């Protein structure tokens, strides 16, 4: 299960540095969002906010960000 806070942003920051994404970014991402969309992220370095990530299937659910008084 993949959860994201409402202010999360997803992307492949390595692309901005001219580096091939690591940690399975080129293998896992196409399985989640499809080859075409994954190629877009890998080639452009585009980032998506939590609501779009949920629509694309990157996350299962968006949860509210905890306030600083409730964090441990």
């Amino acid at each position: 299960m993949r959860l994201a806070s409402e202010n999360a942003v997803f992307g492949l920051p390595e692309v901005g540095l001219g580096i091939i994404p690591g940690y399975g970014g080129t293998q896992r991402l196409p399985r989640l969002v499809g080859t075409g969309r994954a190629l877009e992220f890998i080639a452009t370095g585009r980032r998506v906010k939590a609501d779009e990530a949920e629509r694309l299937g990157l996350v299962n659910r968006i949860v509210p960000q905890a306030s600083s008084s409730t964090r441990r």
Side-chain angles (χ1 to χ4, degrees), residues 6 9 11 13-14 18-19 22 26-27 30 33 37 40 45 59-60 62 72:
E6 57 198 353
V9 178
E14 303 96 328
I19 302 170
T26 57
Q27 290 85 30
V33 299
R37 289 200 193 267
E40 176 187 353
V59 298
N60 299 95
I62 299 172
R72 294 183 181 182

Side-chain angles (χ1 to χ4, degrees), residues 31-72:
R31 292 181 201 146
L32 290 173
V33 299
T35 304
R37 289 200 193 267
L39 200 55
E40 176 187 353
F41 292 125
I42 294 166
T44 65
R46 184 168 82 88
R47 295 179 182 203
V48 294
K49 294 183 179 179
D51 59 337
E52 186 176 358
E54 184 180 34
R55 282 195 308 273
L56 293 173
L58 284 174
V59 298
N60 299 95
R61 186 178 303 157
I62 299 172
V63 296
Q65 182 180 5
S67 67
S68 59
S69 62
T70 59
R71 289 187 196 153
R72 294 183 181 182

